[in-house]
């Protein structure tokens, strides 16, 4: 039986034990960075209660169609270089709440993994909800036969966030999921007028955690109003704001992922 993931080279999960740390932001900007490196990328949004990926690419009005091998993902551009699947495309109204018990959520996640016709992709990025519970176990187990490359863990600098992400590290170890590295998001605020960076949430928690856990630290991404604006409007931040201080941080994270895949395949 032919799998819909047979043409996908690398599968990455974006995880965090905490909500509101910017997993969807990192997933989106990582996809855009990889596209600018000439890669074909898919994003599977398994955050069933808060699907924000469709809005970040400004395709929330699009619907999902069926083909012989399952659901056709939503393409962001004419080149079909980024494709998306999210429960957001399946809701009748954008304000509909997903009031489901665990078994129904788990069944949909398995369907997302099995029944989306991704075609050939260099990377499939899986954007997950907060926590270490049902949806995460279902996602990792459904993807296990396809040997995911590993997980990127996202934290903000504060101790409370770092503590939650520490639990996510334990989850990855228990599930046998390799940790590719930790990203510290919202690491300082960049003033839009003078470009000075102020550490409003403290700094260094993510790097300290990576050191303590013995996993790579992929970098700090500052809070940048231009980045927030581009996500609100569904624009390509990587293309439009190359002078932003968040740009080199995001490009560096993507480059480390690319370098890691090259090392693994050589």
């Amino acid at each position: 039986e032919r799998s819909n993931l047979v043409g996908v080279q690398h599968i990455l999960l974006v995880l965090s034990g905490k909500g509101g740390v910017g997993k969807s932001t990192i997933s989106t900007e990582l996809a855009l960075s990889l596209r600018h490196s000439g890669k074909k990328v898919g994003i599977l949004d398994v955050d069933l209660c808060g699907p924000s990926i469709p809005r970040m690419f400004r395709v929330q009005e699009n619907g999902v169609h069926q083909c012989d091998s399952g659901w056709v993902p939503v393409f962001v551009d004419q080149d079909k270089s980024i494709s998306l699947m999210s429960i957001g495309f399946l809701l009748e109204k954008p304000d509909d709440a997903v009031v489901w018990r665990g078994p129904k959520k788990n069944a949909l996640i398995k369907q997302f993994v099995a029944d989306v016709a991704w075609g050939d992709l260099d990377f499939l990025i899986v954007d997950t909800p907060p926590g270490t519970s049902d949806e995460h176990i279902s996602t990792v187990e459904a993807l296990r036969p396809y040997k995911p490359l590993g997980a990127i863990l996202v934290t903000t600098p504060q101790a409370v966030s770092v503590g939650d992400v520490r639990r996510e590290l334990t989850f990855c170890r228990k599930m046998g999921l390799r940790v590719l590295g930790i990203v510290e998001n919202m690491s300082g605020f960049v003033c839009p007028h003078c470009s000075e960076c102020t550490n409003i949430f403290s700094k260094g928690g993510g790097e300290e955690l990576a050191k303590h856990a013995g996993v790579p630290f992929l970098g700090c991404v500052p809070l940048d109003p231009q980045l927030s604006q581009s996500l609100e409007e569904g624009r390509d931040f990587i293309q439009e704001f190359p002078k932003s201080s968040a740009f080199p941080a995001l490009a560096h994270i993507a480059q480390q992922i690319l370098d890691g895949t090259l090392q693994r395949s050589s």
Side-chain angles (χ1 to χ4, degrees):
E1 189 182 342
R2 182 183 162 84
S3 159
N4 276 331
L5 288 171
V6 75
V8 177
Q9 298 299 313
H10 306 292
I11 300 171
L12 305 172
L13 290 91
V14 178
L15 297 169
S16 177
K18 190 168 180 58
V21 297
K23 289 182 297 299
S24 298
T25 298
I26 296 298
S27 298
T28 297
E29 299 306 329
L30 181 58
L32 290 168
S33 298
L34 291 168
R35 176 176 74 177
H36 285 288
S37 299
K39 305 299 181 186
K40 282 189 80 171
V41 188
I43 302 184
L44 175 56
D45 181 3
V46 294
D47 191 347
L48 303 183
C49 296
S52 49
I53 291 291
R55 172 156 187 168
M56 288 180 169
F57 284 94
R58 215 174 185 173
V59 290
Q60 65 268 38
E61 304 300 323
N62 292 40
V64 169
H65 306 289
Q66 291 275 353
C67 68
D68 290 345
S69 48
W71 282 325
V72 179
V74 169
F75 296 102
V76 171
D77 54 7
Q78 287 186 323
D79 296 338
K80 299 186 176 181
S81 58
I82 296 183
S83 49
L84 314 175
M85 176 52 75
S86 169
I87 195 174
F89 299 129
L90 306 176
L91 301 175
E92 283 186 27
K93 299 177 193 155
D95 295 338
D96 284 353
V98 178
V99 188
W100 291 357
R101 292 188 187 275
K104 197 170 178 184
K105 287 181 180 177
N106 298 342
L108 182 64
I109 287 169
K110 286 174 185 163
Q111 199 174 351
F112 272 170
V113 169
D115 291 350
V116 180
W118 293 107
D120 292 330
L121 292 179
D122 296 299
F123 289 91
L124 177 64
I125 298 168
V126 183
D127 182 32
T128 65
T132 55
S133 56
D134 265 17
E135 289 106 305
H136 302 79
I137 297 167
S138 293
T139 303
V140 174
E141 286 184 343
L143 289 170
R144 200 187 299 283
Y146 309 103
K147 298 184 172 55
L149 191 63
I152 296 170
L153 271 51
V154 183
T155 185
T156 52
Q158 310 99 303
V160 67
S161 174
V162 170
D164 288 342
V165 177
R166 191 175 277 117
R167 294 183 192 101
E168 198 75 46
L169 277 163
T170 310
F171 168 82
C172 290
R173 287 186 181 131
K174 283 187 174 175
M175 296 299 291
L177 186 62
R178 180 170 169 248
V179 176
L180 299 173
I182 293 175
V183 173
E184 184 177 293
N185 196 25
M186 307 183 201
S187 185
F189 170 73
V190 180
C191 174
H193 305 294
C194 68
S195 299
E196 186 180 338
C197 190
T198 308
N199 295 321
I200 52 175
F201 292 141
S202 77
K203 189 174 170 65
E207 191 166 7
E208 195 61 38
L209 175 60
K211 206 178 289 178
H212 175 75
V215 300
F217 180 63
L218 298 175
C220 300
V221 180
L223 269 172
D224 186 335
Q226 292 176 324
L227 176 54
S228 308
Q229 185 188 353
S230 70
L231 289 164
E232 286 288 321
E233 297 172 2
R235 287 153 63 199
D236 186 341
F237 172 79
I238 303 291
Q239 192 167 12
E240 294 189 27
F241 301 107
K243 292 183 179 169
S244 154
S245 23
F247 176 86
L250 292 162
H252 180 61
I253 291 164
Q255 192 56 52
Q256 287 179 89
I257 299 299
L258 287 168
D259 291 346
T261 57
L262 285 172
Q263 284 169 8
R264 290 199 83 192
S265 56
S266 61

